[in-house]
Amino acid sequence: MPLISNDNGAIDRSRLAAWATKEELVTVVAATDAATVQSAATLSGAARTLYTMTPTASRTLTTPTGAELGAAFTDEGVGSSFQFTVVNVAAATHPIVVTAGASGVTLVGASATFSVAAASSASYVAVFTAANTVSIYRA
């Protein structure tokens, strides 16, 4: 969450406190062993969200749409970002593949960078490129 000033151009103490509190929050989501859609509200609620899953077959983790993310992340401007991590707890074989929501989300880079192999994790940075448009990069 960027530090946007109040109407008078100042950043007040309560705005700074709210920003600091959010920057320290981590939300852990235990995803079910099924194809899962990320929640825009969950992603906007903390500085970092961790998705853990123990897949018994190849699974997908789909991002919200750009419009859903734009609505959930109030006060966000072009260039602001959020992070999430996918932890694959499977002992072997089954990947978790991050896929883009229906519209407004672009996965930047080779498709292989959005597959999280068994017994590994991957972190991603999502950057707002417009009000309802997000580009996601593997960190």
Side-chain angles (χ1 to χ4, degrees):
M1 170 169 70
L3 288 175
I4 297 174
S5 64
N6 296 330
D7 293 339
N8 65 3
I11 298 173
D12 68 16
R13 191 173 290 213
S14 64
R15 177 110 174 111
L16 185 57
W19 177 82
T21 299
K22 183 177 177 184
E23 286 301 303
E24 295 174 353
L25 289 178
V26 175
T27 298
V28 178
V29 178
T32 62
D33 181 20
T36 302
V37 177
Q38 294 172 306
S39 159
T42 299
L43 289 168
S44 68
R48 176 167 277 220
T49 304
L50 299 170
Y51 290 90
T52 64
M53 183 188 293
T54 308
T56 57
S58 296
R59 301 293 185 205
T60 60
L61 181 61
T62 304
T63 71
T65 66
E68 291 167 335
L69 290 167
F73 283 87
T74 58
D75 281 351
E76 297 303 319
V78 172
S80 61
S81 64
F82 62 93
Q83 300 176 35
F84 64 94
T85 298
V86 179
V87 180
N88 188 337
V89 187
T93 310
H94 309 300
I96 301 168
V97 179
V98 176
T99 61
S103 63
V105 176
T106 302
L107 303 179
V108 181
S111 61
T113 63
F114 291 92
S115 181
V116 182
S120 70
S121 63
S123 293
Y124 299 92
V125 176
V127 180
F128 281 90
T129 56
N132 293 327
T133 307
V134 176
S135 292
I136 299 177
Y137 305 83
R138 186 163 180 173

